[in-house]
Amino acid sequence: MLEAGKRLLTRSGRSLTITVLVMPEPEAKLASEIADHIRQEEASGLPIRFHHLPAVAPPTDHSGIEEFISRYVQRYAPHVKAAVAGLTCPVAGVVVDLFCTTLFDVVHELGVPAYVYLIGSAAMCALLLRSPSLDEEVPAEVEFEETEGGTVDVPGLPPVPASCLPTGLENRKITTYKWFLYNGRRYTEASGIIVNTIAELEPGVLGAIADGRCPSGTRAPWVYTIGPVIPFTQSAEKASHECVRWLDSQPAASVVFLCFGGKGSFTAPQAHEIARGLERSGQRFLWVLRGPPEPGNKLPTDGNLAELLPAGFLEKTKERGLVWPSKAPQKEILAHAAVGGFVTHGGWNSILESLWVGVPMVPWPLGAEQHYNAFTLVADMGVAVSMKVDRKRNNFVEAAELERAVKALMDDSEAARKVRERTMAMKAACRKAVEEGGSSSLALQRLCEALLVGAVLPTE
């Protein structure tokens, strides 16, 4: 969101300034990382200031992170209202994250424009806008998987298997499900929806939203596609990382890169399956293998390779593979000429980073909206090779299936060539979109103009 804000500052000629309302992070380790990041931003000299809100007690009873965020943020409404009302310059808009529309009430009371910023795809935006209507179309006692065909209709997409719906939206019995609907319903109150995508990547769903098909019969707010919003600062330290140096000795487009995001980790049984699949595939690989979190923590530990990998695996594959047990510089690795494919958890940032450098993918979703992203990458965007992931077995993948998918991604078949060609076309589209006159550049300009025209002094 800060990166998007910086682009707005540049585009507006600094007619805009940014105030970030900071709610205390409940987890100490993350709070420390956020504090370090804020210090760096404050030292940048940009007109970005951070307003720290008083702490409130987080909810303790929730059935998913989406419910937790919605309710936690709702408790901050009085503090948010006071902070916005206390600003002495006209307010161009209050921009909230995708599950923070509980703040709309106080924003409307102040008479200030409200915007939603989606860090995910336009397909996710369409699904959230569509979700209240979907709920009405299916009897309350029936799960989406139990409907005829087991699919749901999201205009602009092929029929979406219910098994690919985001975590929390696929289970209508839990309270988190209701919060998905709540936020999707409130998006229609926004002055605009800002999405971290490019128009050329998702024309079908963007057209469906613009035509009033998501939500059904109600014209959605204007959608500003300003992506890809990815910071690409590269330090000398990252550039000389051991993983990058290892890639320097590999042939062009020969390496499969496996990396599963900041929270992705595996137990020994799954790691054994991955190892067997990679060994049998015969492909060169760079595998970032993190271990399960420690008790009471959500973040992975550095992988203990002796415990996680089959005996002899590292020795047998040392000529063509590297297993890295801790964090790795994903953007720099993806940009390396030796990388020819990416097995990814399918977080939207990782997807955009891969498309930016033209690397085709095999999605291995682990949670959140990643199963939905995996479906759209293959069935709508055509930039990935599918892989069977057993969601009901904690997203387990058999060795033979990983072997098949990796070979299908890296071989010379017509299907693989089509995926590579489509990915390279999206690489070119991403880069053109952010150039002057490109689709994202023009959308950013329209957003700046709307913000400046709509700026008002808060009233109560």
Side-chain angles (χ1 to χ4, degrees), residues 24 37 91 110 114 127 165 190 228 234 259 289 400 412 431:
H37 193 75
V91 179
L110 294 170
L127 177 61
L165 289 172
Q234 181 174 333
C259 190
L289 175 58
D412 290 324
R431 289 163 186 259

Side-chain angles (χ1 to χ4, degrees), residues 244-251 284 336 338:
V244 176
R245 292 199 301 272
W246 182 83
L247 287 169
D248 289 341
S249 63
Q250 306 304 316
R284 298 173 187 270
H336 198 286

Side-chain angles (χ1 to χ4, degrees), residues 121-124 126 154-157 202-210 213-214 372 380:
S121 65
M124 187 63 184
V154 179
L157 291 177
E202 303 184 83
V205 287
L206 287 166
I209 295 170
R213 290 182 280 150
C214 299
Y372 184 63
D380 182 49

Side-chain angles (χ1 to χ4, degrees), residues 427-456:
K427 171 185 175 180
C430 282
R431 289 163 186 259
K432 184 177 180 182
V434 297
E435 292 174 358
E436 196 64 33
S439 60
S440 295
S441 175
L442 292 172
L444 194 66
Q445 181 63 43
R446 284 194 296 270
L447 176 58
C448 279
E449 291 167 359
L451 287 166
L452 292 169
V453 167
V456 294

Side-chain angles (χ1 to χ4, degrees), residues 138-151 162 172-173:
V138 177
E141 67 278 6
V142 178
E143 292 290 348
F144 291 122
E145 274 192 297
E146 299 166 350
T147 59
E148 186 176 352
T151 62
R172 304 177 77 198
K173 295 182 180 68

Side-chain angles (χ1 to χ4, degrees), residues 344-393:
T344 170
H345 67 303
W348 190 245
N349 274 349
S350 292
I351 290 168
L352 291 179
E353 288 170 8
S354 199
L355 292 176
W356 181 258
V357 293
V359 176
M361 291 163 272
V362 169
W364 183 339
L366 301 177
E369 87 290 9
Q370 294 155 20
H371 287 273
Y372 184 63
N373 287 346
F375 169 77
T376 60
L377 284 175
V378 175
D380 182 49
M381 303 175 200
V383 295
V385 169
S386 66
M387 184 169 70
K388 293 177 184 174
V389 177
D390 192 340
R391 191 170 185 177
K392 294 181 179 177
R393 290 175 62 198

Side-chain angles (χ1 to χ4, degrees), residues 172-303:
R172 304 177 77 198
K173 295 182 180 68
I174 61 174
T175 49
T176 289
Y177 172 79
K178 301 298 181 186
W179 283 102
F180 269 96
L181 306 187
Y182 173 94
N183 284 284
R185 194 175 289 115
R186 299 212 69 176
Y187 282 9
T188 59
E189 302 172 26
S191 296
I193 301 175
I194 308 161
V195 186
N196 184 12
T197 192
I198 63 167
E200 293 80 0
L201 181 62
E202 303 184 83
V205 287
L206 287 166
I209 295 170
D211 292 344
R213 290 182 280 150
C214 299
S216 305
T218 305
R219 186 160 292 278
W222 190 270
V223 175
Y224 300 92
T225 54
I226 66 167
V229 181
I230 342 169
F232 271 98
T233 53
Q234 181 174 333
S235 67
E237 179 186 354
K238 284 186 177 179
S240 62
H241 192 278
E242 187 175 332
C243 289
V244 176
R245 292 199 301 272
W246 182 83
L247 287 169
D248 289 341
S249 63
Q250 306 304 316
S254 67
V255 176
V256 177
F257 176 42
L258 299 91
C259 190
F260 301 92
K263 294 184 178 179
S265 64
F266 293 109
T267 58
Q270 180 64 90
H272 278 228
E273 291 290 317
I274 298 172
R276 283 193 288 269
L278 289 175
E279 184 180 346
R280 295 203 298 244
S281 75
Q283 297 292 332
R284 298 173 187 270
F285 64 88
L286 170 52
W287 175 14
V288 178
L289 175 58
R290 310 294 303 281
E294 294 174 347
N297 200 332
K298 294 179 182 177
L299 298 175
T301 55
D302 285 352

Side-chain angles (χ1 to χ4, degrees), residues 305-426:
L305 302 188
E307 293 180 359
L308 289 171
L309 294 173
F313 171 75
L314 292 175
E315 182 64 26
K316 282 186 275 188
T317 59
K318 66 180 180 180
E319 298 300 324
R320 60 181 175 87
L322 174 65
V323 183
W324 189 255
S326 57
K327 287 184 178 179
Q330 177 173 289
K331 291 193 292 291
E332 287 72 27
I333 290 170
L334 281 171
H336 198 286
V339 174
F342 184 24
V343 179
T344 170
H345 67 303
W348 190 245
N349 274 349
S350 292
I351 290 168
L352 291 179
E353 288 170 8
S354 199
L355 292 176
W356 181 258
V357 293
V359 176
M361 291 163 272
V362 169
W364 183 339
L366 301 177
E369 87 290 9
Q370 294 155 20
H371 287 273
Y372 184 63
N373 287 346
F375 169 77
T376 60
L377 284 175
V378 175
D380 182 49
M381 303 175 200
V383 295
V385 169
S386 66
M387 184 169 70
K388 293 177 184 174
V389 177
D390 192 340
R391 191 170 185 177
K392 294 181 179 177
R393 290 175 62 198
N394 196 28
N395 304 305
F396 197 80
V397 172
E398 303 280 354
E401 178 59 9
L402 178 64
E403 176 190 0
R404 181 205 63 77
V406 165
K407 285 180 176 177
L409 182 70
M410 302 294 285
D411 69 18
D412 290 324
S413 69
E414 183 180 351
R417 283 197 297 273
K418 282 184 177 178
V419 169
R420 284 195 286 270
E421 287 170 5
R422 176 65 179 165
T423 305
M424 290 304 292
M426 286 302 100

